[in-house]
Amino acid sequence: GDRLVAFTDGVIEARSPLGEEFGEDRLVEVLLENAGLPASGIESRILRGAEEWTPEAEQEDDVTLLILNDK
Protein backbone atom coordinates (compact mmCIF):
# COMPACT_ATOMS: atom_id res chain seq x y z
CA GLY A 1 0.00 0.00 0.00
CA ASP A 2 2.98 2.36 -0.01
CA ARG A 3 3.26 5.07 -2.64
CA LEU A 4 5.95 7.49 -3.65
CA VAL A 5 4.64 10.79 -4.99
CA ALA A 6 7.09 13.23 -6.54
CA PHE A 7 5.99 16.52 -8.03
CA THR A 8 7.33 19.77 -9.38
CA ASP A 9 6.59 23.07 -7.73
CA GLY A 10 4.07 23.78 -10.49
CA VAL A 11 1.61 21.54 -8.63
CA ILE A 12 1.71 23.29 -5.27
CA GLU A 13 2.31 26.78 -6.70
CA ALA A 14 -0.74 26.65 -8.98
CA ARG A 15 -2.60 29.86 -8.18
CA SER A 16 -6.29 30.59 -7.84
CA PRO A 17 -7.72 33.61 -9.66
CA LEU A 18 -7.16 35.49 -6.38
CA GLY A 19 -3.48 34.51 -6.32
CA GLU A 20 -3.60 31.91 -3.53
CA GLU A 21 -1.41 28.84 -4.08
CA PHE A 22 -2.82 25.31 -4.16
CA GLY A 23 -0.19 24.49 -1.55
CA GLU A 24 1.21 21.42 0.13
CA ASP A 25 -1.67 21.11 2.59
CA ARG A 26 -4.23 20.76 -0.21
CA LEU A 27 -2.00 18.28 -2.01
CA VAL A 28 -1.66 16.15 1.13
CA GLU A 29 -5.44 16.31 1.61
CA VAL A 30 -6.01 15.01 -1.93
CA LEU A 31 -3.45 12.25 -1.34
CA LEU A 32 -5.03 11.13 1.92
CA GLU A 33 -8.56 11.19 0.51
CA ASN A 34 -7.51 9.04 -2.46
CA ALA A 35 -4.84 6.79 -0.97
CA GLY A 36 -6.72 3.62 -1.94
CA LEU A 37 -6.71 4.41 -5.65
CA PRO A 38 -4.11 3.16 -8.11
CA ALA A 39 -1.40 5.59 -9.22
CA SER A 40 -3.38 6.69 -12.29
CA GLY A 41 -6.40 7.52 -10.13
CA ILE A 42 -4.31 9.52 -7.68
CA GLU A 43 -2.75 11.41 -10.58
CA SER A 44 -6.20 12.25 -11.95
CA ARG A 45 -7.44 13.47 -8.58
CA ILE A 46 -4.39 15.68 -8.02
CA LEU A 47 -4.67 17.22 -11.48
CA ARG A 48 -8.42 17.72 -11.12
CA GLY A 49 -7.95 19.34 -7.70
CA ALA A 50 -5.36 21.75 -9.07
CA GLU A 51 -7.51 22.54 -12.12
CA GLU A 52 -10.56 23.21 -9.95
CA TRP A 53 -8.43 25.46 -7.73
CA THR A 54 -7.21 27.48 -10.72
CA PRO A 55 -10.25 27.97 -12.98
CA GLU A 56 -9.38 30.28 -15.84
CA ALA A 57 -6.25 31.51 -14.04
CA GLU A 58 -3.14 31.64 -16.20
CA GLN A 59 -0.47 29.34 -14.78
CA GLU A 60 3.19 30.30 -14.63
CA ASP A 61 4.79 26.86 -14.38
CA ASP A 62 4.58 23.33 -15.72
CA VAL A 63 3.04 20.51 -13.69
CA THR A 64 4.84 17.18 -13.43
CA LEU A 65 3.83 14.20 -11.27
CA LEU A 66 5.48 10.84 -10.68
CA ILE A 67 3.53 8.29 -8.65
CA LEU A 68 4.93 4.83 -7.88
CA ASN A 69 3.14 1.90 -6.26
CA ASP A 70 5.00 -0.60 -4.10
CA LYS A 71 3.68 -3.56 -6.10
Side-chain angles (χ1 to χ4, degrees), residues 1-33:
D2 290 338
R3 303 268 191 314
L4 171 67
V5 179
F7 56 92
T8 60
D9 60 351
V11 176
I12 59 173
E13 292 179 357
R15 295 186 181 274
S16 72
L18 298 175
E20 186 179 356
E21 291 184 350
F22 186 69
E24 289 180 25
D25 290 342
R26 284 184 188 81
L27 176 60
V28 169
E29 184 177 317
V30 171
L31 291 170
L32 292 174
E33 289 174 355

Side-chain angles (χ1 to χ4, degrees), residues 32-48:
L32 292 174
E33 289 174 355
N34 298 285
L37 296 177
S40 61
I42 294 171
E43 174 195 28
S44 295
R45 298 294 169 93
I46 292 171
L47 293 175
R48 183 173 20 165

